[in-house]
Amino acid sequence: MALVNIDKVHKYYGDLHVLKGVDLKIQAGEVVSIIGRSGSGKSTLLRCMNGLEAYQEGAIILDNKEVSSDERQVRALARSVGMVFQSFNLFPHLTVGENVMLAPKLVLKQSAEDARKMALDKLTKVGLAEKFDQYPDKLSGGQQQRVAIARALAMSPKVLLCDEITSALDPELVGEVLKVLEELAAEGMTLVLVTHEMNFARDVGDRVVFMHQGKVWETGPSAEVFANPSTPELRSFINAVL
Amino acid sequence: MIEFSNWDLLRNLLLAARWTVLLSLTAFIGGGLVGLLLTAMRLTRRRALHWFVRLYVEVFQGTPLLMQLFLVFFGLSLMGFDISAWAAAAIALTLFTSAFLTEIWRGCIDTLPKGQWEASRCLGLSFTQTLKNIILPQAIRVALAPTVGFSVQVIKGTALASIIGFVELTKAGTMLNNATFEPFKIFAMVALIYFLLCYPLSLVSQRLEKKFNGAR
């Protein structure tokens, strides 16, 4: 069974029908980029995958657990799914190290020593071990986002969801964050990215999912989809952004 | 007629001011505790509790404190409770204070970005863990200045307790005036004492605001 199974998922905001029967399977180790115009439902789909948003019809099975927005379910799911946000969402009153250690200590009940080791390990991975005792507001946007990635990784998730994680960054800082993602992909981490970084989607991603009008409009291996889009909607989208 | 020296007047006013301070502290601490409870109720996912808190806050913010005092004082005696002016004032001011503090704290918690809740949730933190480790530490910094600032309103609000006969600073001033017929002098002294109680709190509030505004 695939790591993520999304089966005919419908999502409404009141009268607004945002997701109109989304089907998607993601295998362990895949790097999947979800692209599409704003309002196509790509961020909503991502947020449904870890229970941040409720969906009304269909099913999402992740790591053999059904996803729902029920509080306890969401918490159980946090061990399988990591999330990185566009706006970092670091805890500003905690140091970088404390940000990363918090959930392993509170949720996984790791000892202070183990949590510290884990945090240092993950921060080393994103190249920020020396910032352990700094507060987030002393860091650049790119560094903050890398800390956010380390914080998510500290829970040893099976899949990492990234919601436009470079969109709030100055252009010169995008590269350092993408580099971290590239390394994670090389290590075999399952990544699902909602992204506007088309070059990244094409060069690093295994597969591209093009969303349009609340549906998976077209999907396929990255190189193929970019070189040879089969629907006019994707063709015009690629022409517009590349 | 009895002669009062200025010192006699001031001494008696200061003695009465102790009750103003005590009533203020009671209202502030009591109101703080009730306010905490109401704030916690508001943060749960229970709709009914939200409505209750909202109604509570609207009622106490939307009616004059004096009416609240009257209702507690006369209402409870009508229902057969033998209630002293002190108890009535303490209850009414506690209710009043809790409603305002709840509203102030709601605002402080709402200024925190939604992403703080979402990130906590995605990391698997429970509601109480999120509140204790993420929300409260940040909200308290924001809330400190307006909370201390509001204590000034509580102190001034205690003056209304004089109307139901509780002898605090204002009531003492009225009584001394009835004996001396020197209203200007006496109420100037009363006002000065209120000012000396309130001004330091205003200063502290301003300091706190500067210290925490914009800082993490």
Side-chain angles (χ1 to χ4, degrees):
Chain A
M1 196 170 174
L3 182 58
V4 184
N5 278 281
I6 301 173
D7 189 27
K8 297 186 197 63
V9 164
H10 288 261
K11 157 91 187 163
Y12 302 83
Y13 286 116
D15 288 337
L16 193 65
H17 199 171
V18 193
L19 299 179
K20 301 172 182 168
V22 172
D23 287 305
L24 186 63
K25 284 191 186 357
I26 296 169
Q27 305 294 334
E30 254 192 313
V31 177
V32 175
S33 311
I34 305 178
I35 61 171
R37 296 181 196 280
S38 56
S40 59
K42 50 194 195 310
S43 277
T44 307
L45 178 63
L46 202 72
R47 291 167 62 86
C48 283
M49 284 167 65
N50 66 352
L52 272 184
E53 300 278 354
Y55 52 90
Q56 282 76 38
E57 283 168 50
I60 300 180
I61 314 280
L62 200 147
D63 193 20
N64 298 319
K65 291 188 270 284
E66 171 147 23
V67 179
S68 84
S69 60
D70 170 76
E71 201 63 41
R72 234 170 307 157
Q73 286 263 34
V74 171
R75 254 184 286 151
L77 211 65
R79 293 162 191 249
S80 310
V81 198
M83 176 104 172
V84 185
F85 300 86
Q86 179 176 352
S87 51
F88 325 141
N89 294 343
L90 292 179
F91 305 130
H93 60 299
L94 301 178
T95 64
V96 164
E98 288 165 345
N99 262 277
V100 183
M101 292 188 290
L102 186 73
K105 272 196 217 163
L106 290 178
V107 181
L108 304 180
K109 310 288 176 206
Q110 284 182 8
S111 68
E113 199 187 328
D114 287 348
R116 196 184 168 81
K117 241 184 256 165
M118 169 75 94
L120 267 173
D121 179 46
K122 300 304 176 195
L123 285 169
T124 306
K125 181 169 274 192
V126 300
L128 290 171
E130 82 281 4
K131 303 287 186 191
F132 196 89
D133 293 316
Q134 295 266 356
Y135 281 92
D137 62 352
K138 297 279 179 280
L139 271 54
S140 74
Q143 290 173 330
Q144 290 191 45
Q145 195 59 296
R146 282 148 65 197
V147 172
I149 294 174
R151 182 175 68 175
L153 291 177
M155 295 292 284
S156 313
K158 297 197 170 148
V159 49
L160 191 62
L161 309 178
C162 299
D163 191 6
E164 303 196 22
I165 65 170
T166 55
S167 298
L169 297 177
D170 291 335
E172 74 270 21
L173 302 176
V174 169
E176 61 187 73
V177 173
L178 293 184
K179 196 171 140 262
V180 169
L181 286 185
E182 213 175 318
E183 284 163 12
L184 287 175
E187 286 172 20
M189 182 79 197
T190 313
L191 295 174
V192 184
L193 321 147
V194 167
T195 185
H196 293 295
E197 297 294 329
M198 293 304 147
N199 292 325
F200 184 85
R202 185 180 54 200
D203 302 336
V204 181
D206 298 315
R207 190 148 62 97
V208 165
V209 172
F210 173 61
M211 290 203 54
H212 188 65
Q213 295 182 349
K215 285 184 185 142
V216 173
W217 204 257
E218 188 174 342
T219 177
S222 307
E224 230 168 83
V225 165
F226 277 104
N228 219 346
S230 61
T231 57
E233 288 80 7
L234 179 54
R235 215 169 302 140
S236 86
F237 177 73
I238 289 175
N239 284 336
V241 294
L242 273 185
Chain B
M1 203 169 98
I2 320 160
E3 283 294 315
F4 288 99
S5 70
N6 284 344
W7 168 241
D8 284 330
L9 294 174
L10 191 62
R11 194 170 51 99
N12 279 297
L13 288 175
L14 284 171
L15 287 173
R18 292 178 309 174
W19 289 101
T20 292
V21 171
L22 195 65
L23 184 57
S24 303
L25 280 174
T26 308
F28 198 70
I29 293 167
L33 292 175
V34 178
L36 268 183
L37 185 72
L38 291 169
T39 305
M41 282 163 68
R42 216 199 121 255
L43 287 170
T44 64
R45 291 182 146 202
R46 298 274 161 83
R47 289 260 153 190
L49 292 181
H50 292 192
W51 277 105
F52 172 76
V53 175
R54 209 165 143 192
L55 188 73
Y56 183 100
V57 170
E58 291 294 335
V59 164
F60 287 104
Q61 285 198 335
T63 54
L65 175 57
L66 186 57
M67 293 307 121
Q68 294 164 23
L69 268 170
F70 281 167
L71 286 176
V72 171
F73 187 54
F74 298 119
L76 286 180
S77 359
L78 267 182
M79 283 190 263
F81 294 100
D82 184 20
I83 188 163
S84 66
W86 153 256
I91 292 171
L93 276 160
T94 295
L95 296 173
F96 169 83
T97 306
S98 65
F100 275 84
L101 287 179
T102 301
E103 192 62 5
I104 290 172
W105 295 342
R106 181 185 72 84
C108 293
I109 288 172
D110 285 353
T111 58
L112 299 182
K114 205 175 68 178
Q116 295 289 306
W117 289 95
E118 288 189 347
S120 309
R121 221 175 144 197
C122 289
L123 288 168
L125 270 60
S126 69
F127 176 74
T128 23
Q129 285 172 334
T130 305
L131 215 52
K132 178 168 161 262
N133 295 283
I134 306 302
I135 302 302
L136 288 184
Q138 295 184 69
I140 285 171
R141 288 166 184 273
V142 189
L144 226 43
T147 302
V148 174
F150 181 71
S151 66
V152 170
Q153 302 300 323
V154 177
I155 292 177
K156 292 193 286 186
T158 60
L160 287 176
S162 63
I163 296 178
I164 57 170
F166 179 63
V167 185
E168 39 62 74
L169 182 51
T170 302
K171 181 73 180 173
T174 321
M175 288 156 73
L176 287 174
N177 177 49
N178 289 342
T180 61
F181 306 111
E182 288 183 300
F184 187 76
K185 185 161 85 187
I186 285 172
F187 287 115
M189 284 178 173
V190 169
L192 182 71
I193 296 173
Y194 274 117
F195 183 77
L196 291 176
L197 287 175
C198 295
Y199 185 59
L201 289 168
S202 295
L203 274 186
V204 170
S205 173
Q206 281 164 24
R207 283 265 175 83
L208 288 170
E209 198 167 329
K210 264 193 205 129
K211 188 171 168 196
F212 289 123
N213 238 3
R216 55 163 192 273

